[in-house]
């Protein structure tokens, strides 16, 4: 088997792997970089070469896995795209939002290569998508008449997220995608097979993040709710930058539960557009596939208000409020970014980051900023002194590193390929696997280089 990481920037960026296995050529994921603008943020699909791809497989709908799918489909006009039935409900909505953001960035930041694809191309995706239910194997016959069996497994993480088993002849390859084993309010944890595999492709997001002893997701939720209560009681506002897909609905479900248990004061809750639109899609997924348990009434019961444009640009309302705004890493021009200068200036306010935050993004920089220092928002030409408290709560939607390690050991793989992690995070897995699984070969693929397994 040959494996080529098409993500030119390494780390967690525009995820995409080319797998060449027997007569099959498969592309796993088609991401878009969250930090590199223009065509440079697209995986190097030109390295696929002139021979066509047999199958495209998508793990889930976060843009670092989905964002360049229309580009790949344009360059590869033949192959089917396999994704979970739940992902199919969300994929076009996510791409349309990405399209709108690109159009705006073309106007505001002069990125002339944007948009990278057309609305028409998004609309046409459905024709080539093969939605699969979890745990139901599907046989594909290649051009040479040989078969490949594809099985999707529920990976936790976000609704629709899948891990994938590929079987060719007697050998198995397991692709983790993004995994969360712990259950969330809106979703069960991952349910994955433990059969031995030849090759495991493993996400490594949390390789550098060990949970402190005594801390769990539940204790972090508790700490968040206590902090929320204190801040609101003292008349401050509480802002949570969150990813629109998955995190935002999870946070709203946590707030809903707290409100039902009389633990959340009745203050206005504002949320930004895409995350609120996705509520309807999640409701559909819950009704049609059972792949999540988020229902629309959570938003109705909480009385969530769509963040109005006047608020995004104008004065904040008097009195305490809760803001659940994208994006999770406070990327430039997102609602969280645009609101933040006004939130930061008031020492009564509180900023809670709750998920993964790349250190190079504005969110990562704000988390590292000294209290009282001046923080610049270059993209909107503003600055603010960090008077509000800024803290991180660990409600990550990625599995603990020890859980992933145990999982890797249970599959007894001959090869482990590390993906979706910063270099230091991959290094932790490489060292642990060398120690705990000495007979396995561990590969941290060099971007754009073909590795023979
Ligand atoms: Zn993800
Ligand atoms: Zn990811």
């Amino acid at each position: 088997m040959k494996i080529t990481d098409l993500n030119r920037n390494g780390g967690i960026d525009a995820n995409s792997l080319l797998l060449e296995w027997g007569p099959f050529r498969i592309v796993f994921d088609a991401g878009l970089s969250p930090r590199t603008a223009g065509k440079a943020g697209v995986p190097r699909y030109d390295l696929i070469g002139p021979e066509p791809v047999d199958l495209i497989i998508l793990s889930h709908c976060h843009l670092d896995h989905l964002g360049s799918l229309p580009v790949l489909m344009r360059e590869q006009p033949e192959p089917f795209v396999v994704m979970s039935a739940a992902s199919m409900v969300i994929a076009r909505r996510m791409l349309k939002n990405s399209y709108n953001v690109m159009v705006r960035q073309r106007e505001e930041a002069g990125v002339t290569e944007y948009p990278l694809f057309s609305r028409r191309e998004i609309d046409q995706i459905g024709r080539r998508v093969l939605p699969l239910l979890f745990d139901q194997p599907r046989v594909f016959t290649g051009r040479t008449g040989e078969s490949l069996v594809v099985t999707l497994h529920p990976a936790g993480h976000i609704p629709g997220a899948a891990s994938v088993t590929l079987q060719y002849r007697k050998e198995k390859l397991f692709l983790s995608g993004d995994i969360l084993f712990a259950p969330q309010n809106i979703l069960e944890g991952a349910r994955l097979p433990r059969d031995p595999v030849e090759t495991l492709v493993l996400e490594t997001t949390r390789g550098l993040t060990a949970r402190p002893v005594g801390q769990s997701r539940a204790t972090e939720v508790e700490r968040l709710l206590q902090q929320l209560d204190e801040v609101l009681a003292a008349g401050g506002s509480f802002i949570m930058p969150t990813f629109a897909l998955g995190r935002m609905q999870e946070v709203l479900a946590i707030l809903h539960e707290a409100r039902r248990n009389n633990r959340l004061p009745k203050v206005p809750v504002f949320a930004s557009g895409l995350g609120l639109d996705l509520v309807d899609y999640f409701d559909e997924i819950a009704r049609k596939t059972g792949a999540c348990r988020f229902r629309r009434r959570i938003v109705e019961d909480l009385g969530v208000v769509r963040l109005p444009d006047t608020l995004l640009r104008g004065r904040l309302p008097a009195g305490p409020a809760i803001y659940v705004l994208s994006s999770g890493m406070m990327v430039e021009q997102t609602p969280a970014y645009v609101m933040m200068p006004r939130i930061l200036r008031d020492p009564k306010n509180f900023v809670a980051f709750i998920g993964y935050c790349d250190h190079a993004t504005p969110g990562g920089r704000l988390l590292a900023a000294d209290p009282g220092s001046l923080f610049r928002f270059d993209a909107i030409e503003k600055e603010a002194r960090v008077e509000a408290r800024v803290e991180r709560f660990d409600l990550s939607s990625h599995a603990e590193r020890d859980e992933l390690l145990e999982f890797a050991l249970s599959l007894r793989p001959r090869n482990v390929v590390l993906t979706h992690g910063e270099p230091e995070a991959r290094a932790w897995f490489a060292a642990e696997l060398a120690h705990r699984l000495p007979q396995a070969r561990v590969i941290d693929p060099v971007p754009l280089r073909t590795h023979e397994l």
Side-chain angles (χ1 to χ4, degrees), residues 59-65 157-158 161 178 397-398 420:
S59 65
H60 67 291
C61 289
H62 276 147
L63 290 180
D64 59 323
H65 302 259
H157 188 58
I158 61 164
D178 292 1
S397 56
H398 289 273
H420 202 279

Side-chain angles (χ1 to χ4, degrees), residues 12 28 69 82 116-117 134 175 205 216 258 283 298 317 348 391:
I12 304 177
F28 180 62
L69 182 63
V82 165
L116 297 169
F117 41 82
F134 289 128
L175 300 148
T205 314
S216 66
D283 191 87
I298 288 177
K348 291 201 298 296
E391 248 182 68

Side-chain angles (χ1 to χ4, degrees), residues 70-269:
V71 179
L72 176 60
M73 290 176 75
R74 182 195 310 144
E75 293 183 18
Q76 295 288 332
E78 295 294 325
F80 281 120
V81 182
V82 165
M83 63 177 81
S84 71
S87 284
M88 190 172 169
V89 175
I90 315 166
R92 272 172 293 189
R93 182 64 188 84
M94 289 300 290
L95 288 169
K96 276 183 185 154
N97 189 73
S98 177
Y99 172 88
N100 292 338
V101 170
M102 285 192 274
V103 169
R104 211 163 52 229
Q105 284 180 333
R106 183 193 170 93
E107 287 161 11
E108 288 172 7
V111 187
T112 51
E113 291 169 345
Y114 281 160
L116 297 169
F117 41 82
S118 66
R119 292 192 77 97
R120 197 181 136 84
E121 284 175 307
I122 301 172
D123 290 335
Q124 287 177 343
I125 278 175
R127 294 188 197 170
R128 282 167 58 194
V129 170
L130 279 178
L132 296 194
L133 294 175
F134 289 128
D135 301 317
Q136 306 213 349
R138 167 111 187 200
V139 181
F140 290 88
T141 308
R143 282 160 288 159
T144 59
E146 292 207 76
S147 33
L148 179 80
V149 186
V150 181
T151 314
L152 304 188
H153 316 281
H157 188 58
I158 61 164
S163 298
V164 184
T165 303
L166 300 181
Q167 183 172 356
Y168 167 57
R169 296 186 175 167
K170 293 229 169 336
E171 282 186 7
K172 281 184 179 168
L173 163 69
F174 188 91
L175 300 148
S176 75
D178 292 1
I179 297 181
L180 178 65
F181 288 105
Q184 307 175 58
N185 282 40
I186 62 168
L187 192 63
E188 299 287 343
R191 273 185 295 108
L192 306 178
R194 308 279 165 148
D195 312 327
V197 301
E198 188 71 10
T199 300
L200 163 66
V201 177
L202 186 67
E203 72 124 312
T204 58
T205 314
R206 287 176 64 95
L208 262 198
T209 324
R211 272 218 196 256
V213 177
Q215 190 206 84
S216 66
R217 194 178 170 284
T219 62
E220 284 296 270
V221 170
E222 189 53 37
R223 190 164 72 86
L224 181 74
L225 291 177
Q226 273 173 13
Q227 197 64 67
L228 197 53
D229 195 43
E230 262 173 46
V231 169
L232 297 175
S237 284
F238 204 92
I239 181 169
M240 282 175 272
T242 55
F243 291 104
L245 172 56
R247 294 288 77 194
M248 188 178 291
Q249 297 79 16
E250 174 69 6
V251 165
L252 294 176
I254 289 170
L255 296 178
H256 182 247
E257 198 185 354
R259 173 73 55 81
R260 263 195 340 210
N261 296 332
N262 290 323
R263 294 201 51 199
L264 187 71
K266 282 221 160 71
V267 301
V269 179

